[in-house]
Each structure stands twice: as structure tokens, then as C-alpha cells.
Amino acid sequence: MANLRVVGAGDSVNWYKGGWEIFKSNIANWVLMTLILLVLMAVAIFIPFVGPIALYLVLPVLLGGMFYSAQKLDQGQTADIMDLFALFKDQQRLTPLIILGLIFLVVGFLSSMIVGGMMVASMSTMAPGQMSVMPSFGFGVILLSLLISVLSLMLFMFAVPLIVFKNMSTIDAIKNSFTANLKNFPAFIIFVVIYLVLAILAAIPFGLGFLVLAPVMVAATYVAYKNIFA
């Protein structure tokens, strides 16, 4: 288990401030990397079956490239668009990152099955015309989905940077990510809430705000990783 710090809840605000400063240091590079990533995701989604699976597998590798770029800018070095693909050349880290993508795929699939199963089971036990239970049924699904989302984020939030910067195995990275977020749960929750508010604002101008929010989020997560694990 890696050494980690327990930080204050308010530190999450500083993570975003640090992420914004990293983003500002090379805005064009960040926006272009984000555009390339979005295009690759869009293309993958339109390839039946194989595309989405391939996307899950390579997404941690591409995110690793963005974390690598964030570190370079944080250290005063020059970043490059090709940083996005830097980890594909690093065989030592490529394999655990792809395994991480596979685990994320399995978790996503199982989560969908659980939520979907709950919906089907609830609907099958309803008597005809029994509409009064629908609000509670919907609330239960929302709570379950929220719980799964929070647990998944705790597991994976720091997994990529831990593999990239500490050369951890996939399982160790997931364990350390979860432990770090559990021990810093107030900061973690505030970090998530701030993101949700910013995501609503980013979606207003036809979703164009995500060209800024997505890289800032990656850079802020990098700052959070440094704050907790450095």
C-alpha cells in the first residue's frame, strides 16, 4: 500500500485551482487533445460491438497520456499533442492500463445488469394498474445507480496516475485509489459535487464547455493525486 496523506475537505477546491493553472499553461494543447479523444470515442461508438469494447480497453491508456502531459506542464516542460499516445510506447505501463480498461468494462457491464435487473424485478412484481409504487421504484434505482457510480469513481479515480507515475500493478492501483478516497471522503465528495455543478454549466453552450472542463478535470485529478500520494 502506497503512503498517502489525509487532506482537508477544502483541499478539493485547490485541486481545481491547480488543474485550471495547468490547463491555462497550454490551452491549445489541452483542447486539441480533448478533441482528438472525443473524435476517437465517437468513431468507436459507431463500430458495432468491437468499437465500444476497444474504447474501454484503450481509454485508460489515452487518459494516461493526458496525465503524463499534465505532469510535464506542472514541471515546466513543454507538452505536445502526441502526449496523448505516449503510453502506447511504454510496454511496462501499457499492459496494466489495458487490464484496467478491461476491469472497468466488466464493472460497467455488471453495474448495468444489476440496475437493469432491479428495474425488471420491480416491474414484474407490480400488479396491473399499480402505478403508486413507481415513484419509490424510480427513487430506488436512482439511489442504487448513484451508489454504484460513487464506488466506481472511488475505485478508479487515481488508478491511472498510480499506474503511470508509481508503476503499480492494476489491482494495487485500484486498491490504493479506493483507500485514498475512503480516507479523504469529505474532499472526494466535494470534488465530485463541484464537477457536477461545472458539468451542468459546461453542457449549456451545446456541450462545448466540456472542451475546457474535461482537461481541467484530468489536470485537477493529477493535482489531487500529487496532494495525496506525493
Side-chain angles (χ1 to χ4, degrees):
M1 190 67 65
N3 294 324
L4 57 89
R5 296 177 58 218
V6 176
V7 301
D11 281 31
S12 54
V13 176
N14 294 326
W15 298 345
Y16 278 103
K17 289 180 180 178
W20 174 251
E21 291 301 319
I22 292 175
F23 172 76
K24 279 200 312 178
S25 65
N26 197 332
I27 295 176
N29 184 71
W30 279 113
V31 172
L32 285 173
M33 281 199 299
T34 305
L35 277 172
I36 293 171
L37 181 58
L38 291 175
V39 169
L40 291 174
M41 292 173 66
V43 171
I45 290 173
F46 281 103
I47 301 175
F49 187 70
V50 176
I53 293 177
L55 177 60
Y56 268 101
L57 296 180
V58 303
L59 188 57
V61 186
L62 296 170
L63 289 175
M66 296 185 77
F67 279 110
Y68 170 64
S69 189
Q71 184 190 57
K72 288 174 66 177
L73 291 170
D74 183 48
Q75 295 177 347
Q77 302 176 37
T78 302
D80 185 86
I81 297 173
M82 296 308 294
D83 288 342
L84 183 64
F85 306 101
L87 276 299
F88 283 99
K89 305 177 207 176
D90 189 335
Q91 292 300 317
Q92 194 172 20
R93 291 170 176 80
L94 179 62
T95 299
L97 286 170
I98 290 177
I99 294 173
L100 179 65
L102 179 60
I103 294 174
F104 190 54
L105 172 63
V106 172
V107 170
F109 176 76
L110 292 176
S111 300
S112 300
M113 291 291 290
I114 293 171
V115 174
M118 180 179 175
M119 293 176 65
V120 172
S122 298
M123 293 177 67
S124 65
T125 57
M126 289 173 56
Q130 191 181 359
M131 299 301 294
S132 61
V133 300
M134 284 301 291
S136 60
F137 154 65
F139 185 65
V141 171
I142 291 172
L143 280 179
L144 179 62
S145 300
L146 182 61
L147 177 61
I148 291 174
S149 297
V150 169
L151 289 175
S152 296
L153 186 55
M154 291 176 70
L155 288 168
F156 296 110
M157 179 174 169
F158 295 119
V160 172
L162 284 169
I163 292 172
V164 173
F165 301 126
K166 290 192 176 293
N167 201 19
M168 283 190 181
S169 69
T170 307
I171 300 302
D172 284 343
I174 292 173
K175 287 180 180 178
N176 278 273
S177 177
F178 183 80
T179 301
N181 284 312
L182 186 62
K183 290 186 176 182
N184 292 284
F185 195 71
F188 167 77
I189 286 297
I190 293 175
F191 187 72
V192 172
V193 170
I194 291 174
Y195 172 77
L196 292 175
V197 173
L198 293 176
I200 294 172
L201 297 175
I204 294 174
F206 306 102
L208 294 176
F210 284 100
L211 290 176
V212 174
L213 180 56
V216 168
M217 183 66 172
V218 172
T221 304
Y222 164 75
V223 174
Y225 157 79
K226 274 208 328 175
N227 188 204
I228 292 174
F229 288 98

